[in-house]
Amino acid sequence: MTSRPLLFGTMLLLAALASPAVANDRRDGGKLLLTGGVSSIDGAAGGGLASWASIAGNETEDGIGGSVHVTYLALPDFDLTSVGGAIGINDRVEISYAHQIFDTRSAGFALGLGRGFTFNQDVFGAKLRLIGDAVWDQDTLLPQIAIGVQHKRADRRAVIRAVGGRESAGTDFYLSATKLLLARSLVLDATVRLTKANQFGLLGFGGDKQADRTAQVEGSAGMLVTRSLLVGAEYRTKPDNLGFARESDAYDLFAAWSVTRHVAITAAYTDLGPVATFEKQRGGLLSLQGSF
């Protein structure tokens, strides 16, 4: 019930951002299309699954920009919706937020939770670009490197405890390196994340099998087929902390289309592996992003 106002409000904001009138006067030309990535399900700039070293928004080092997104992932037994936004300051600092809604649909009945039972999670993020510039450092192999933090708060504490989760809130730390090879029209990213999140945090943090943070990796590779179309793939490893349900790695095959400088649409085939004892959770992801 609470997701409809969030979705409606975000759509209104997307429409407002699509207007050039909201562009910051300090922006000087803006970034090249799609080189800053899109919005991940966790709210940070990057791919659909992975956080990149890029900073949200179209701003250059002399401006302030931002983005908002609505993302929907339809799986055989579950749905995941993510809505949120991010602010980029001088292409150096990013502050982000995402609200995730995980709908168990009929699987909720089979799990004893009730049909249509939902898990909600808030993700508060911050990112700092340390060195490098993915776009302008073409004469060196040095990538753009950033560190980030994401604090996640899930709402179903009693259920999380019942399935073996240790906590309903947790914090991820990550280090990302992103490189754009303009001569070959390639965008590459590698990220190392310290996390103890179960199913991205929706099922809590830590478990009966593993309580502490472990290092997980995220990788993205994309090719700019045209100036406004990026296609590629992502891979993200996940901890396997809970005894009651095996968790495996996730991947996607995506296409991101920059409709205008301020609006981008991403479609992807996504495989999350098993989720809460339900195997082969593969489906389609669709994301709409507005940016300035």
Side-chain angles (χ1 to χ4, degrees), residues 222-242:
M223 173 174 286
L224 287 161
V225 179
T226 69
R227 183 171 176 267
S228 59
L229 179 63
L230 176 69
V231 298
E234 296 182 286
Y235 192 85
R236 178 169 174 170
T237 67
K238 298 184 291 178
D240 186 20
N241 298 327
L242 299 176

Side-chain angles (χ1 to χ4, degrees), residues 3-74:
S3 62
R4 292 182 181 177
L6 279 169
L7 290 171
F8 181 68
T10 304
M11 290 300 293
L12 288 177
L13 189 51
L14 279 168
L17 286 173
S19 170
V22 301
N24 190 283
D25 290 337
R26 297 172 63 200
R27 194 187 72 198
D28 183 16
K31 297 174 182 173
L32 296 179
L33 294 179
L34 297 173
T35 57
V38 292
S39 298
S40 72
I41 58 172
D42 293 327
L49 291 176
S51 296
W52 295 2
S54 55
I55 302 298
N58 297 335
E59 83 285 352
T60 63
E61 63 181 10
D62 297 319
I64 295 176
S67 65
V68 293
H69 76 273
V70 179
T71 300
Y72 178 70
L73 173 59

Side-chain angles (χ1 to χ4, degrees), residues 189-223:
D189 175 82
T191 297
V192 177
R193 179 183 297 264
L194 293 177
T195 181
K196 52 183 176 180
N198 309 319
Q199 295 296 353
F200 308 113
L202 289 158
L203 293 183
F205 302 83
D208 48 335
K209 291 172 60 177
Q210 171 68 41
D212 299 324
R213 291 185 183 87
T214 56
Q216 305 296 324
V217 297
E218 302 167 16
S220 302
M223 173 174 286

Side-chain angles (χ1 to χ4, degrees), residues 150-169:
Q150 291 175 341
H151 180 67
K152 305 180 177 184
R153 302 185 66 87
D155 69 337
R156 299 294 189 177
R157 181 170 184 153
V159 177
I160 288 169
R161 290 291 181 89
V163 301
R166 296 293 185 94
E167 303 164 320
S168 59

Side-chain angles (χ1 to χ4, degrees), residues 216-278:
Q216 305 296 324
V217 297
E218 302 167 16
S220 302
M223 173 174 286
L224 287 161
V225 179
T226 69
R227 183 171 176 267
S228 59
L229 179 63
L230 176 69
V231 298
E234 296 182 286
Y235 192 85
R236 178 169 174 170
T237 67
K238 298 184 291 178
D240 186 20
N241 298 327
L242 299 176
F244 102 101
R246 180 177 63 91
E247 185 170 358
S248 64
D249 303 338
Y251 72 87
D252 70 25
L253 303 173
F254 68 86
W257 174 38
S258 184
V259 183
T260 71
R261 176 166 291 280
H262 304 290
V263 177
I265 298 173
T266 302
Y269 168 78
T270 305
D271 187 340
L272 297 188
V275 177
T277 74
F278 287 79

